[in-house]
């Protein structure tokens, strides 16, 4: 995990957005990992963006995961979802995401909407603690990774979690082909 200094996230709720902290407090006993296996590390908020973070903390892009909020439109309504993909890939928003959400058009949600609806900071949004009604689409490459680093809901820290745990979050669906490699 590079040069990150991790500790159990439940012991450092001050490093998490309120919805993320609430999700950890309510972590189900039957979850595939123990809540104490969810770790957090403080980082420089100015280095939260993926490329800068990976370079500064010596973390490979192949273990860094991005969580993006997508909005799909159908019949005048908007359906939101989160997509979790490795930093070496990009979510197939116009293909797989659009089809999975059964919407006519899908795109990245506007920043203000993503922040308002999640209660998290832009650039730190994580699949942990999202609104219960949202599907969480997880690329199969993410759950194949022993551990991944993802946002914590705020820009001044990152969460380290076993990849398979992200596929077991409430509302999560693991999809082959959700993301395409970055060329």
């Amino acid at each position: 995990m590079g040069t990150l200094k991790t500790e159990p996230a439940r012991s450092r709720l001050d490093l998490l957005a309120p919805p993320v902290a609430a999700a950890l407090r309510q972590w189900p006993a039957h979850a595939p990992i123990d809540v104490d296996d969810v770790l957090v590390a403080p980082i420089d908020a100015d280095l939260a963006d993926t490329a800068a973070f990976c370079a500064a903390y010596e973390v490979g892009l192949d273990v860094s995961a991005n969580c993006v909020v997508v909005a799909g439109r159908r019949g005048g309504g908007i359906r939101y979802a989160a997509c979790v993909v490795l930093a070496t890939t990009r979510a197939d928003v116009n293909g797989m995401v659009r089809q999975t959400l059964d919407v006519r058009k899908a795109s990245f949600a506007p920043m203000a909407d993503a922040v308002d609806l999640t209660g998290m900071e832009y650039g730190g949004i994580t699949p942990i603690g999202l609104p219960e009604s949202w599907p969480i689409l997880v690329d199969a490459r993410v759950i194949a990774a022993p551990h991944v680093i993802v946002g914590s809901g705020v820009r001044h820290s990152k969460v380290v979690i076993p990849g398979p745990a992200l596929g077991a979050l409430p509302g999560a669906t693991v999809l082959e082909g959700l993301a395409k490699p970055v060329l």
Side-chain angles (χ1 to χ4, degrees):
M1 295 295 117
T3 60
L4 292 176
K5 294 181 178 22
T6 62
E7 52 193 305
R10 198 167 55 163
S11 70
R12 290 298 311 269
L13 297 179
D14 60 304
L15 291 175
L16 307 170
V20 180
L24 290 180
R25 282 193 293 272
Q26 299 169 3
W27 197 260
H30 64 278
I33 66 158
D34 187 85
V35 68
D36 290 330
D37 291 332
V38 179
L39 306 175
V40 68
I43 66 165
D44 181 334
D46 291 334
L47 300 172
D49 293 332
T50 304
F53 164 75
C54 288
Y57 292 94
E58 301 174 16
V59 170
L61 291 171
D62 60 330
V63 295
S64 182
N66 292 320
C67 179
V68 295
V69 177
V70 176
R73 299 186 189 286
R74 183 170 186 93
I78 299 176
R79 297 177 187 174
Y80 291 96
C83 299
V84 184
V85 300
L86 292 179
T88 56
T89 65
R90 294 293 176 253
D92 182 11
V93 175
N94 293 312
M96 178 69 76
V97 174
R98 184 183 57 76
Q99 292 170 4
T100 302
L101 294 179
D102 189 28
V103 294
R104 293 174 57 94
K105 182 179 178 183
S107 59
F108 296 108
M111 178 175 51
D113 292 350
V115 169
D116 185 51
L117 294 170
T118 64
M120 300 180 199
E121 294 177 5
Y122 194 76
I125 293 176
T126 185
I128 302 166
L130 288 174
E132 289 181 21
S133 63
W134 286 18
I136 301 171
L137 309 179
V138 183
D139 186 68
R141 292 174 191 92
V142 172
I143 67 157
H147 287 86
V148 294
I149 300 169
V150 67
S152 63
V154 294
R155 291 182 60 87
H156 63 272
S157 66
K158 295 282 186 180
V159 165
V160 178
I161 187 168
L166 294 175
L169 289 172
T173 301
V174 177
L175 297 170
E176 289 284 343
L178 175 65
K180 296 181 179 184
V182 175
L183 300 178

